[in-house]
């Protein structure tokens, strides 16, 4: 079966899912942490380094303090001159401080990271604002440097306060970079929230992927393995009718199919073995019965042989003695006496033949074996049968000319062949046909006798080789021919089997004989 989805591919898919899961997790976490780090840095740097316009306005505001000093208005010229001088000195000092505050603001503006992040338009606003403030401060400085300051102090103070107010307003109108910082902080907070959501979504997706992975592992691997395991255990416990089922379309399905095939084969082997054991047990029982029967028959045959000989001898001698007397008796009586005497002799003779056969069957002794040409034996028997008047109209075909050698006792095998040919011819009527084929096989010669005679029912086939089993009329058959033949063939370590499709379908007897001596074959 072609693999649709192999476990290897599934494992790779599983691995990719795990990697994807870990990657997503790592990316979202790292991104969240970096975002948080950027936010903290931004706030920190912004707070420490960003220029503040409030500092600038506070610095410029220092110029107002000397201007607010209270005038003595005493009318004393010396006092008023001293006040004007002190006020100018305080203004110059305040101006110096304002200049350094402006310079510091300027420096912060030009210093990274602020200078790197500030927008061009914003920078232009700062530049023009600071330039105007510088101009105002220059104007203040110029005013303070006037030679007639002490004399025209009120006018100059008014001028200075005008320039200071202008610079102050300008500084106040400048955009406050810390406001920008607040905007970026808000942006950073949005970013942070976004990344936090991303972490949650990624976490949920990872969990879903993990659950999916576990589900797939259970469906694709764990459950089929468990089913295989349970099925294998059931089969191991003897339930050979059980079949594994798996529809995963991968190696598990192949394994289940192989396992089922193995179980089927095992089941077939087991039932074959069961059948063989049953056959062997039946054979054993039959052999036991035959052995007992053989023993009994031999005893009986031996016991009745002598009385039979005595009867035959007595009948003969009676016939001889009565030869003088019978001509004197009435012709009918004499004929009757002769008939009885002859009948006694013939029946005694027939009984003796039966007991001879019984003794043959019981003896079963091994005759001397040699290599015999089975074709010649068959041709001999067939030649003899053709001369028997009652079988003259039967057709016998021997499908072999060439010799076929077997390691047998020639006369015994001749007896078997004679029995098989006689049975086959007797089973057929006029125009009956018998085909004999002889085939050489490794270690064996096989003979088959196929006739178109009356055939055999399954019941006849079952009892065929039992002694005294016959379907012939009383007095015509002894039922010993096949049982003796089988005994002979078994002694040769060969086999004799019969088959028939049924009554009226003809019969086939198959005979197998060894080509080498049993001991030689055992050694080989
Ligand atoms: P018998 O020939 O004395 O009956 P056998 O042992 O030779 O004894 O045969 C036993 C029985 O087997 C026969 O009575 C006959 O029913 C059956 N038989 C043997 N050979 C054939 C055959 N070729 N065709 C049909 N039946 C046969």
């Amino acid at each position: 079966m072609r693999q649709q989805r192999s476990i290897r591919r599934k494992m790779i898919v599983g691995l990719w899912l795990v990697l994807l899961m870990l990657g997503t997790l790592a990316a979202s976490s790292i991104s969240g942490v970096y975002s948080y780090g950027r936010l903290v840095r931004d706030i920190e740097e912004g707070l420490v380094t960003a220029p503040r316009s409030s500092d600038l306005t506070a610095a410029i505001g220092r110029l107002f303090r000397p201007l607010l000093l209270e005038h003595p208005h005493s009318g004393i010229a010396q006092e008023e001159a001293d006040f004007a001088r002190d006020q100018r000195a305080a203004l110059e000092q305040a101006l110096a401080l304002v200049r350094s505050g402006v310079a510091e603001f300027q420096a912060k503006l030009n210093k990274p990271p602020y200078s790197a992040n500030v927008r061009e338009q914003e920078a232009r606003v700062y530049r023009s604002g600071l330039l105007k403030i510088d101009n105002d401060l220059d104007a203040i400085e110029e005013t303070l440097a006037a030679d007639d300051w002490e004399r025209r102090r009120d006018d100059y103070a008014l001028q200075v306060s005008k320039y200071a107010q202008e610079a102050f307003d300008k500084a106040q109108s400048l955009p406050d970079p810390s406001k920008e910082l607040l905007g970026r902080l808000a942006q950073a907070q949005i970013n942070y929230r976004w990344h936090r959501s991303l972490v949650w979504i990624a976490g949920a997706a990872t969990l879903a992927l993990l659950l999916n992975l576990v589900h797939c592992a259970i469906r694709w691997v764990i459950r089929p393995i468990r089913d295989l395991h349970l099925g294998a255990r059931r089969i191991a416990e003897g339930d050979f009718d059980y079949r594994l089922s798996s529809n995963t379309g991968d190696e598990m399905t192949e394994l289940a199919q192989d396992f089922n095939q193995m179980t089927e084969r095992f089941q077939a082997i087991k039932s074959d073995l069961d059948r063989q054991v049953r056959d062997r047990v039946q054979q054993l029982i039959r052999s036991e019965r035959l052995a007992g029967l053989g023993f009994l028959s031999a005893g009986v045959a031996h016991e009745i042989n002598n009385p039979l000989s005595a009867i035959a001898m007595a009948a003969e001698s009676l016939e001889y003695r009565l030869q003088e007397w019978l001509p004197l008796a009435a012709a009918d009586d004499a004929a009757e006496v002769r008939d009885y005497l002859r009948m006694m002799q013939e029946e005694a003779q027939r009984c003796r033949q039966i007991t001879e056969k019984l003794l043959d069957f019981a003896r079963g002794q091994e005759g001397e074996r040699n290599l015999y040409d089975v074709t010649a034996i068959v041709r001999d028997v067939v030649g003899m049968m053709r001369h028997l008047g009652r079988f003259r109209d039967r057709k016998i075909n021997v499908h072999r000319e060439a010799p076929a050698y077997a390691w047998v006792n020639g006369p015994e095998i001749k007896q078997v062949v004679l029995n098989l040919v006689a049975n086959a011819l007797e089973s057929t009527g006029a125009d009956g046909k018998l085909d004999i084929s002889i085939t050489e096989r490794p270690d064996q010669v096989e003979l088959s006798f196929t006739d178109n005679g009356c055939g055999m029912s399954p019941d006849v086939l079952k009892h065929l080789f039992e002694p005294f089993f016959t379907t012939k009329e009383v007095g015509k058959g002894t039922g010993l021919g096949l049982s003796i033949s089988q005994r002979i063939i078994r002694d040769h370590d060969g086999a004799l089997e019969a088959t028939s499709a049924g009554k009226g379908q003809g019969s086939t007897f198959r005979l197998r004989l060894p080509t080498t001596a049993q001991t030689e074959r055992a050694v080989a």
Side-chain angles (χ1 to χ4, degrees):
M1 196 204 76
R2 196 177 69 82
Q3 277 178 29
Q4 293 158 2
R5 288 169 281 168
S6 70
I7 285 184
R8 197 167 146 266
R9 270 170 61 191
K10 286 177 183 175
M11 287 312 213
I12 290 170
V13 170
L15 193 67
W16 273 113
L17 283 174
V18 170
L19 285 177
L20 191 69
M21 194 175 80
L22 292 178
T24 314
L25 202 63
S28 66
S29 308
I30 290 167
S31 157
V33 168
Y34 267 84
S35 163
Y36 182 72
R38 264 198 309 277
L39 178 72
V40 171
R41 252 198 326 277
D42 273 4
I43 292 171
E44 195 181 8
E45 284 178 359
L47 286 175
V48 174
T49 62
R52 274 178 253 168
S53 54
S54 56
D55 289 350
L56 196 62
T57 48
I60 294 170
R62 284 190 183 149
L63 285 170
F64 293 109
R65 219 176 292 154
L67 290 172
L68 293 175
L69 286 174
E70 204 175 329
H71 193 274
H73 293 295
S74 59
I76 304 165
Q78 187 58 41
E79 265 185 26
E80 290 202 1
D82 286 346
F83 174 75
R85 214 170 25 251
D86 289 348
Q87 191 180 38
R88 183 161 69 171
L91 280 168
E92 281 171 349
Q93 211 174 353
L95 185 67
L97 285 172
V98 171
R99 283 222 188 261
S100 83
V102 170
E104 196 182 329
F105 188 87
Q106 182 86 48
K108 280 185 178 177
L109 275 180
N110 294 331
K111 196 175 158 200
Y114 184 79
S115 63
N117 292 330
V118 73
R119 287 187 288 273
E120 183 49 35
Q121 190 190 356
E122 200 176 292
R124 253 203 315 272
V125 172
Y126 280 126
R127 270 199 298 275
S128 75
L130 286 175
L131 194 67
K132 280 185 183 146
I133 290 170
D134 258 353
N135 289 343
D136 287 334
L137 293 181
D138 287 349
I140 291 171
E141 197 175 339
E142 237 174 77
T143 312
L144 287 178
D147 295 339
D148 52 351
W149 170 270
E150 284 159 29
R151 193 164 47 86
R152 291 180 60 200
R153 187 210 67 86
D154 287 346
D155 297 339
Y156 286 139
L158 200 64
Q159 230 171 334
V160 167
S161 87
K162 196 184 108 213
Y163 289 136
Q165 188 61 49
E166 266 179 32
F168 188 80
D169 291 345
K170 195 77 229 166
Q172 261 194 331
S173 73
L174 282 179
D176 194 344
S178 64
K179 279 184 193 155
E180 169 71 11
L181 189 70
L182 283 173
R184 283 166 66 191
L185 180 62
Q187 182 60 44
Q189 275 170 342
I190 290 168
N191 277 350
Y192 170 67
R193 274 197 289 275
W194 190 84
H195 279 100
R196 195 180 56 188
S197 309
L198 188 70
V199 167
W200 278 107
I201 291 166
T206 306
L207 194 66
L209 285 173
L210 190 70
L211 289 176
N212 201 28
L213 187 71
V214 171
H215 174 73
C216 289
I218 290 172
R219 251 189 60 200
W220 291 345
V221 182
I222 295 172
R223 206 175 290 159
I225 287 180
R226 193 199 56 194
D227 289 350
L228 283 179
H229 180 219
L230 289 177
R233 192 185 289 168
R234 268 185 76 169
I235 292 166
E237 281 165 0
D239 185 1
F240 297 117
D241 291 328
Y242 183 77
R243 294 289 175 272
L244 302 177
S245 68
S246 165
N247 52 6
T248 52
D250 56 22
E251 288 91 339
M252 294 292 178
T253 305
E254 278 185 12
L255 188 64
Q257 284 171 352
D258 291 346
F259 204 87
N260 287 341
Q261 275 177 11
M262 194 177 78
T263 311
E264 269 163 31
R265 276 185 60 78
F266 188 73
Q267 203 173 17
I269 290 170
K270 185 179 168 287
S271 53
D272 187 50
L273 280 177
D274 284 350
R275 190 186 51 74
Q276 281 188 34
V277 168
R278 263 198 317 275
D279 288 356
R280 288 286 151 85
V281 168
Q282 269 184 359
Q283 269 180 22
L284 210 66
I285 292 169
R286 207 178 298 146
S287 302
E288 281 294 309
R289 218 166 54 205
L290 289 183
L293 207 63
F295 181 75
L296 194 74
S297 312
V300 171
H302 190 72
E303 285 304 316
I304 61 174
N305 242 1
N306 291 341
L308 279 175
S309 303
I311 291 169
M313 215 174 70
E316 254 179 64
S317 108
L318 252 177
E319 192 180 18
Y320 179 72
R321 290 272 185 96
L322 286 175
Q323 270 179 2
E324 292 169 32
W325 301 80
L326 282 178
L328 303 176
D332 288 355
D333 292 340
E336 201 168 333
V337 168
R338 276 199 196 91
D339 271 357
Y340 285 150
L341 286 172
R342 194 178 31 79
M343 204 186 293
M344 282 166 74
Q345 284 173 37
E346 278 177 8
E347 291 305 310
Q349 191 57 35
R350 212 166 71 81
C351 287
R352 282 194 62 172
Q353 280 174 359
I354 291 173
T355 54
E356 285 288 310
K357 282 188 180 178
L358 270 177
L359 284 171
D360 273 359
F361 173 71
R363 260 197 306 270
Q365 52 188 291
E366 281 209 2
E368 205 181 308
R369 311 237 166 109
N370 217 321
L371 271 182
Y372 278 88
D373 178 8
V374 180
T375 312
I377 292 177
V378 171
R379 288 196 170 278
D380 265 7
V381 172
V382 170
M384 197 172 76
M385 295 304 267
R386 278 194 184 121
H387 288 109
L388 288 181
R390 60 190 177 121
F391 295 136
R392 214 166 274 161
D393 49 359
R394 314 290 205 275
K395 202 164 176 214
I396 307 174
N397 301 314
V398 182
H399 301 280
R400 187 176 176 109
E401 299 286 339
Y405 291 97
W407 187 262
V408 291
N409 178 308
E412 282 182 350
I413 297 303
K414 195 172 202 170
Q415 185 186 341
V416 173
V417 172
L418 183 68
N419 188 38
L420 293 176
V421 172
N423 276 346
L425 295 179
E426 272 168 8
S427 78
T428 59
D431 299 330
K433 196 173 112 182
L434 170 64
D435 286 289
I436 305 173
S437 62
I438 303 162
T439 319
E440 281 177 310
R441 303 208 182 280
D443 291 340
Q444 283 185 331
V445 173
E446 187 180 293
L447 295 90
S448 85
F449 302 80
T450 306
D451 62 59
N452 62 349
C454 63
M456 292 176 281
S457 65
D459 198 44
V460 170
L461 277 170
K462 199 168 154 194
H463 300 288
L464 202 60
F465 295 105
E466 288 176 8
F468 303 113
F469 175 79
T470 180
T471 57
K472 292 173 189 165
E473 292 167 28
V474 182
K476 284 209 167 166
T478 59
L480 286 170
L482 284 178
S483 47
I484 292 172
S485 298
Q486 198 180 51
R487 164 66 65 89
I488 290 171
I489 299 305
R490 283 225 180 115
D491 285 347
H492 277 79
D493 204 31
L496 177 60
E497 292 160 3
T499 52
S500 172
K503 277 196 166 180
Q505 310 277 316
S507 312
T508 297
F509 281 77
R510 217 161 262 122
L511 172 61
R512 283 193 287 275
L513 296 169
T515 53
T516 49
Q518 198 182 354
T519 45
E520 283 169 30
R521 281 191 292 129
V523 170

